[in-house]
Amino acid sequence: MNIIRENIAMYHLPCIDYLKKYPIHFTEDTSYEKFKIIFLDFLKRLDHGVTEIYMHPADLTLELKNICHSRACLKRYYEYRLLQDEDLAKTLEQENINLIGWENIS
């Protein structure tokens, strides 16, 4: 792992500290509220540093339903809803989490 860090420093490449996926196993019965509680708790437990959280938000359209199985559609739709949820904005503020882009770390 040190060789990777050395190359990143040598070539002045942007680097994140953590790459994370939130910990939830989706089933047909997973509610939005359960998803939101788990995700917000996940944010509260992030380590200090720059963390990339990957997700694939999408509105629940006919096109999405045609290309994804039902659990994947639901997951993407919940991610989409969460990004518009006031509780997410409140949690980010309370936990002093700043949203940044690659230009902020390069």
Side-chain angles (χ1 to χ4, degrees), residues 24 26-42 74-75 77-79 81-82 84-88:
I24 187 168
F26 265 79
T27 67
E28 302 295 327
D29 299 324
T30 303
S31 70
Y32 173 72
E33 286 304 315
K34 178 181 177 183
F35 165 76
K36 182 169 87 169
I37 289 167
I38 292 170
F39 190 89
L40 296 181
D41 183 61
F42 165 74
L74 188 61
K75 181 176 158 191
Y77 178 59
Y78 285 178
E79 292 170 347
R81 284 183 59 190
L82 182 70
Q84 301 171 56
D85 195 305
E86 288 183 23
D87 289 337
L88 174 62

Side-chain angles (χ1 to χ4, degrees), residues 9-24:
M10 183 179 0
Y11 295 108
H12 306 288
L13 300 171
C15 182
I16 60 174
D17 299 308
Y18 308 100
L19 176 63
K20 298 212 175 187
K21 176 85 172 107
Y22 53 86
I24 187 168

Side-chain angles (χ1 to χ4, degrees), residues 44-99:
K44 293 173 185 176
R45 294 181 287 108
L46 287 176
D47 295 318
H48 182 72
V50 178
T51 301
E52 179 179 345
I53 302 168
Y54 60 94
M55 50 190 343
H56 302 93
D59 199 359
L60 195 56
T61 63
L62 182 59
E63 179 181 14
L64 182 65
K65 290 178 181 179
N66 286 331
I67 62 172
C68 291
H69 59 79
S70 59
R71 281 192 324 260
C73 284
L74 188 61
K75 181 176 158 191
R76 288 176 176 226
Y77 178 59
Y78 285 178
E79 292 170 347
Y80 174 81
R81 284 183 59 190
L82 182 70
L83 292 174
Q84 301 171 56
D85 195 305
E86 288 183 23
D87 289 337
L88 174 62
K90 289 177 189 173
T91 300
L92 293 173
E93 185 176 338
Q94 290 168 350
E95 299 299 317
N96 199 28
I97 297 172
N98 300 307
L99 302 179

